[in-house]
Amino acid sequence: GENVEQHPSTLSVQEGDSAVIKCTYSDSASNYFPWYKQELGKRPQLIIDIRSNVGEKKDQRIAVTLNKTAKHFSLHITETQPEDSAVYFCAASRGNDMRFGAGTRLTVKP
Amino acid sequence: KAGVTQTPRYLIKTRGQQVTLSCSPISGHRSVSWYQQTPGQGLQFLFEYFSETQRNKGNFPGRFSGRQFSNSRSEMNVSTLELGDSALYLCASSFEYFTGELFFGEGSRLTVL
């Protein structure tokens, strides 16, 4: 089945800096890549997703890039704010199987 | 529109017992998936049901089982509980699991003593 690796496991940045989280996947047939944010004590929520026919997608301060050849995709958060502090999960789906990365704990220091 | 509801929210069991967790999806969603969340392990996929059929299963022992009813509500059962089964169990519903947004419940926190 699909295997998703996510790095780093923890990330600490100063408010206003950018944060980048990277994921690699194993199955070249994967075609859907969502990112979920889980704030402390809350449920995971979708923040952005990308499909294999698109190389980049942006939504205000967050963006996701996909490199199908290298089989990796990344989440970029610009101008980080304390409320961005959370655990972020990437996932990869190939139509009949979706797997999540182990998560990245992002801390934004004021 | 009501969100995904999981019951019970908290429960404590002892080793060897069994437990049943329930998940009511968002109205109209036919896919329900289950995850085990433990510190440092992320979201481990258990299984996914669509229209009462299990379509996919993760790498968990046979002690973990589930089912889905005709109204899309789902249950998961863990038999012969072990200490390592202590975790937050999340369910998520979606219109279509593999290519659409998952809406998670708040989870059922299981503690095994």
Side-chain angles (χ1 to χ4, degrees):
Chain A
E2 176 67 275
N3 183 46
V4 179
E5 294 190 359
Q6 184 171 347
H7 301 280
S9 57
T10 60
L11 178 60
S12 181
V13 300
Q14 287 294 138
E15 183 177 358
D17 287 350
S18 295
V20 180
I21 302 170
K22 299 181 180 181
C23 289
T24 60
Y25 59 99
S26 61
D27 193 332
S28 57
S30 291
N31 56 11
Y32 176 61
F33 307 91
W35 287 87
Y36 286 82
K37 174 184 180 182
Q38 186 177 29
E39 296 179 25
L40 188 63
K42 296 189 177 181
R43 67 192 81 189
Q45 291 188 300
L46 180 72
I47 55 172
I48 195 167
D49 57 9
I50 192 169
R51 302 182 191 273
S52 59
N53 59 345
V54 176
E56 183 176 3
K57 184 176 178 181
K58 288 183 179 180
D59 183 2
Q60 299 182 346
R61 296 186 297 107
I62 61 173
V64 57
T65 59
L66 171 65
N67 183 325
K68 288 189 292 182
T69 302
K71 289 189 285 187
H72 69 70
F73 55 112
S74 300
L75 177 71
H76 304 254
I77 306 174
T78 59
E79 300 173 21
T80 54
Q81 301 167 3
E83 52 265 38
D84 294 329
S85 295
V87 178
Y88 292 81
F89 295 98
C90 64
S93 169
R94 62 181 174 96
N96 64 348
D97 189 17
M98 181 157 71
R99 301 301 162 117
F100 284 82
T104 295
R105 181 174 299 280
L106 172 65
T107 301
V108 180
K109 295 180 285 187
Chain B
K1 197 176 197 181
V4 177
T5 303
Q6 289 188 246
T7 58
R9 291 290 315 282
Y10 303 90
L11 64 168
I12 300 174
K13 294 285 186 178
T14 57
R15 281 182 298 173
Q17 287 187 311
Q18 73 166 18
V19 65
T20 299
L21 308 178
S22 178
C23 174
S24 293
I26 290 173
S27 178
H29 286 184
R30 291 190 291 168
S31 170
V32 174
S33 50
W34 289 88
Y35 304 85
Q36 181 193 66
Q37 185 173 28
T38 55
Q41 293 297 313
L43 295 168
Q44 300 288 310
F45 172 72
L46 283 155
F47 26 65
E48 187 258 348
Y49 288 88
F50 185 88
S51 293
E52 302 180 68
T53 300
Q54 185 184 91
R55 293 197 295 187
N56 209 351
K57 189 176 189 302
N59 298 322
F60 279 81
R63 300 185 296 108
F64 292 80
S65 63
R67 58 177 175 169
Q68 186 180 36
F69 302 96
S70 59
N71 62 357
S72 293
R73 189 178 71 84
S74 177
E75 288 182 348
M76 68 163 282
N77 183 276
V78 188
S79 63
T80 318
L81 285 167
E82 301 177 358
L83 295 178
D85 296 333
S86 295
L88 179 67
Y89 291 88
L90 290 162
C91 86
S93 79
S94 63
F95 183 74
E96 174 51 74
Y97 173 67
F98 302 115
T99 58
E101 180 175 1
L102 300 180
F103 294 85
F104 285 87
E106 293 186 293
S108 293
R109 184 165 296 281
L110 170 65
T111 300
V112 182
L113 303 176

